[in-house]
Amino acid sequence: MAFAARLCRARGGHGFRKPLSAALAPPPATRGMALNWRYGGTPSGVGISSGGNRSPEVLLSDLQDIFAKEGVTCLSSLSASWFARADANVSKGLDPDEFKETMGNVGLKLSESESKALFTHFDVDGSGIITYGEFAKGLRGNMPEFSASLAFMHQHTGHYPSNQEMVKAARPTFDVDETEEWKESLEAIVKHHGKTRARFLMHDLMDEAARLGVAIHQPVVTPMVNTIATSAEPAYPGDRPMEERISNIIRWNAAVMVSDANRRGGGVGGHIGTFASICDVFEVGMNHFFRGKEYGNGRGDSVWMQGHAAPGAYSRAFAEGRLTIDQLMNFRRESAGNGVSSYPHPRLMPHFWENPTVSMGLGPLGSVYQARFFRYLHLRGLADTSKSRVWTFVGDGEMDEPESITAISVAGRERLNNVIFIVNCNYQRLDGPVRGNSKVIQEYEGTFRGAGFDVIKLIWGGKFNELIEKDHDGKLIEALERLPDGDCQRLHAKADGALIRKDLFEKNGLLDRVAHWSDAELLEAFQIPGGHDHNKIYAAMAQAERNAEMGGRPTVILVKTLKGYSLQTFLGRNTVHQKKMMSDSDMQSYRDAMGIPLTDEQLKIPDAGNLFQLKEDSPEAQYIQSRRKDLGGYLPSRQPAKVSALVEIPGHEVYGVFDEGTKGREVSTTMNFAQVLRNMMKAGEFGQRVTLMVTDESRTFGIDAFFPIFKIHAPFGQNYTPVDADQVMKYAEAPNGQILQEGISEGGAIMTWIASATSYASQQAPTLPFLIYYSMFGFQRVGDSIWQAADMRARGFLIGATYGRTTLNGEGLQHQDGHSLLIALTCPAVKGYDPAFGYEMGAILENGVKEMWGEDRDVIYYITAYNENMAMPAKPEGCDEGIIKGLYKFADAKPAEHTVRLIGSGAIMKQALDAVDMLAEFGVGAEIWSATSYGELHRDGVACDRLARLGGEAKKSWVEECLGDGSVTVAVSDNMTAYPKLIHPWVGGEYTVLGADGFGRSDTREALRRFFEVDKEHVVVAALDGLAKQGKISADVPKQAREKYGIVAERKDICMEIVS
């Protein structure tokens, strides 16, 4: 309770709390009044009766005592009941009677005079209503210095006070007197015409300066008006009534598809409100802007659709005749192979979807790097992408994702004029308002403009915009800027013209602006914002297209829409995102609004009859076909190239550089990779299509030698002289550079990799990407993006360098990776390999290229690479099959009384090799096996077991063929023990796994390997222990070995200890 009291107190001795509320409906009589004081009783032991004539200061003190005694429960209940009243009565505050009743409900009994005095204390603007902000401010007294949020709660325009207003930079003054005259003129405007006039005048001057070519940045936030004036709108080129009918049909079918799928049972889910909000923008784009694959000068536009709007794409494809009724009837029912996926998933619908977007934030980021890669292809002469644009649909709630903000920064920095963002500003996230207390469009304008975008605001529909453009004194615009998005959402949801007139116009002294409209006319104008006005949508998109053709910046259209548009029981509700089904009355009203010729009886049965199917010869169907033909074909559409028929892949000599070993020279598998990659990049036309991405660690990975040969891609050239220009290994940049230097951004690098790995489909210009990075910062950091890559049917190589929990010895806990191969196994499209030798690296790379480009398989290869040097042996005969399957015998055991098998992987292979001679001292011979992929061995074993279980053609797994006898087997690696244990079910005899479990830490490799028990000594002890368990040797032998090598069971691990 002391904590609650402290929470309630603030400077000046007043309680600092959320506003009070009137009582909710009384509870059942059986509930104790002491526990239900907010329904009409008083808090137990707290009731303060009226003294008759207490001052507001005394009353505030009494109220503070109530809060202090009741604590957090009291305060949270007040908050809940406040918002319940606001929703029920469409009110932003309490009137005098409600206020007095509320005070009584919390235990503060007031006389009429006391109630009036206390109400006046809170009602600072004399409006007769106590708002949330007024109550909080009056209750707490002066704002504490740190608490800025409530101080600004009534400021929604984006023009916040600054502590730097009086700071003046030293600039050239030129003519001092003239400068002062300009300042005096501005002061006069403010004095005689007010700050509003001065504000709009300054915006006009800034616009004029830009038109005159003055190099000055525009303000990041401009007045809340449409960017394109009505007088500047181009004539609409299409048949607008026809297009609106088509929009209505597509919107109807999209909603019915989702609703009926759930009405039929199964709880498959889906979303109705999102596409309802963006349908008109999507349809204007489809009819006039989005270029199909046959458009020319590239493979059309790349459209990244909001994932939750996927039913709209299905509905349009149905209208185009590309999807059948059967497919729509099986929305989210895919197992039988005749349904459509929940969201955009190319893995599930490989000829339909191109770009998965529903892991929110990844769509915006991926689209920007797609646009960047389109330019890369063009500058390197690999594809003509001059007419390919990237259109990115983003929800305003999705802009919260860090990836979304990063995407904006990258697009601006790279000056990607071929990317156009469309932010669907329906003001709603999944749970409620995006920015209920402020203005999301104004906020995003600042974000995008500050990043270097051209911003087009599309806020008001034609009818309501008449009021905006007649706003001669700016008062209506500023009133709209003051209206929080949460209130705007409420006004749309309540759909009450009288309420809009009261809350927006009467309260701001602007009733004369709408005196010529009835409430119905005002409601109609307000309920059609810019995102539902085809003329204004076309104007905005046409300007964005001109920007893409002739400008030097990316463009964003901030479009105001209504979530659940035309569905009044859905529109603007906080629950709209979760609403999956329409009731009978919903269906009927929606049918009427959309003009769909179905009867009430038809609508009651959730079958195919509810879907409105266009006849092939109908005017609507012919119009759709005509528009898409002119624009180059249907979208979305995925048309991958058959790479095996386009590109000749190099022969074995490119990959087999280490087949003869290194003749005693010690190198790491990272260097093995670099050498093979260099050969690949020099292999003619194939080599030109190899793309290398690095995340600012080239020197660590031995890739810096590539800089002067292949050059770093820089679209605007190298406009400086690098510090190492006089050296052979200079840092060389060029527009046609082959290397993509991604900086310190694994999240960005993986998106470039995806764009390259899918270019065989997006532009039918195959490129083979290699991304090399610190392995710890791959699957662990960008695993979601790799899953997205698999969904997109990416083909390429991920190289997890500096791998191994004990091999990357000095870096410590955050860097030492021993588990990414295990994570990689969770993605069905990823094949993970852990090579120990140079020839293994070459064989794996060669097979990967064969699978991806020789056989057109949509797979990803993840290969670990270590930084520990060792002499690489020559390639044994006949091991290629085992290398790819994941296991092969490297060396036979020397003759001995007993024999064991030692399996090594990666850099720890050396520990297994060194253990051979040590075991010989105990009379034990050891075979050496190399496990290149426990993951692939596991998959093979599971597949064989499945066939046997289901009566298929039974065959032994590869592990059973190799290790199925009763021998002792010890597997040792720099991975977690869980990874080698994946093959345990198919290993015969005694199987022991040694691995690096636990957090990494810094030390020498020798110390780390002893700590994690993967050194050669532990290998010997494990092998002897296995023989002892089988009764082949005495238990004293492994005991003697432990004593000889100083191995004990106790191990101190600070990472897992209780620290006092």
Side-chain angles (χ1 to χ4, degrees), residues 251-280:
R251 189 184 274 115
W252 166 264
N253 283 339
V256 168
M257 181 197 329
V258 176
S259 179
D260 280 6
N262 287 278
R263 290 170 72 195
R264 289 191 293 271
V268 294
H271 304 279
I272 295 173
T274 298
F275 183 70
S277 70
I278 202 63
C279 174
D280 292 300

Side-chain angles (χ1 to χ4, degrees), residues 470-548:
K470 292 178 181 178
D471 186 24
H472 60 281
D473 56 7
K475 290 184 178 179
L476 174 57
I477 294 171
E478 292 198 333
L480 288 164
E481 290 175 339
R482 289 192 299 271
L483 184 72
D485 284 354
D487 276 330
C488 191
Q489 175 193 345
R490 172 178 57 88
L491 294 177
H492 283 302
K494 298 301 179 182
D496 184 340
L499 180 63
I500 297 168
R501 190 182 302 272
K502 175 187 174 185
D503 273 17
L504 180 55
F505 293 92
E506 182 180 348
K507 288 186 178 180
N508 290 286
L510 300 172
L511 279 175
D512 59 308
R513 308 294 174 94
V514 289
H516 61 298
W517 281 351
S518 66
D519 287 345
E521 291 171 323
L522 174 57
L523 177 63
E524 181 183 7
F526 189 71
Q527 294 293 76
I528 305 179
H532 300 290
D533 184 321
H534 284 220
N535 276 51
K536 296 197 175 297
I537 295 168
Y538 179 84
M541 296 181 82
Q543 182 61 51
E545 186 174 63
R546 285 192 293 273
N547 293 351

Side-chain angles (χ1 to χ4, degrees), residues 652-662 665 667-677 679 837-842 872-875:
H652 176 72
E653 67 279 0
V654 168
Y655 310 97
V657 63
F658 292 103
D659 284 1
E660 301 302 319
T662 58
R665 182 170 60 94
V667 295
S668 67
T669 52
T670 301
M671 295 302 103
N672 296 151
F673 164 73
Q675 181 59 59
V676 177
L677 178 63
N679 290 357
F837 304 128
Y839 66 80
E840 291 179 352
M841 178 68 75
M872 295 293 169
K875 183 178 182 180

Side-chain angles (χ1 to χ4, degrees), residues 709-881:
I709 303 170
F710 303 106
K711 294 185 175 55
I712 296 163
H713 179 68
F716 307 107
Q718 190 165 21
N719 301 306
Y720 68 95
T721 303
V723 68
D724 54 5
D726 57 347
Q727 300 176 19
V728 174
M729 304 271 281
K730 63 183 178 182
Y731 196 84
E733 300 179 81
N736 63 346
Q738 194 165 351
I739 302 168
L740 287 146
Q741 168 58 271
E742 299 297 327
I744 306 174
S745 174
E746 287 82 9
I750 191 64
M751 289 302 174
T752 300
W753 184 89
I754 292 172
S756 175
T758 56
S759 65
Y760 75 96
S762 65
Q763 289 291 340
Q764 290 193 347
T767 56
L768 188 64
F770 287 82
L771 172 57
I772 184 168
Y773 53 88
Y774 263 83
S775 65
M776 193 72 156
F777 307 135
F779 282 85
Q780 182 160 300
R781 174 171 287 191
V782 294
D784 194 12
S785 298
I786 295 171
W787 192 268
Q788 182 190 39
D791 192 349
M792 293 178 76
R793 296 177 170 264
R795 302 175 187 174
F797 293 86
L798 299 170
I799 309 299
T802 59
Y803 189 75
R805 187 145 292 157
T806 70
T807 305
L808 182 62
N809 55 306
E811 294 294 289
L813 185 149
Q814 192 65 43
H815 288 70
Q816 292 169 340
D817 176 19
H819 54 273
S820 62
L821 283 163
L822 198 59
I823 302 174
L825 181 63
T826 64
C827 184
V830 176
K831 295 188 173 185
Y833 287 94
D834 192 21
F837 304 128
Y839 66 80
E840 291 179 352
M841 178 68 75
I844 293 164
L845 290 170
E846 182 176 11
N847 195 72
V849 172
K850 184 185 77 171
E851 280 203 77
M852 296 173 205
W853 281 24
E855 300 171 357
D856 292 294
R857 295 183 184 276
D858 302 329
V859 294
I860 298 167
Y861 270 46
Y862 173 54
I863 308 173
T864 62
Y866 295 77
N867 66 348
E868 183 175 4
N869 294 333
M870 64 181 289
M872 295 293 169
K875 183 178 182 180
E877 290 290 334
C879 66
D880 287 278
E881 181 183 18

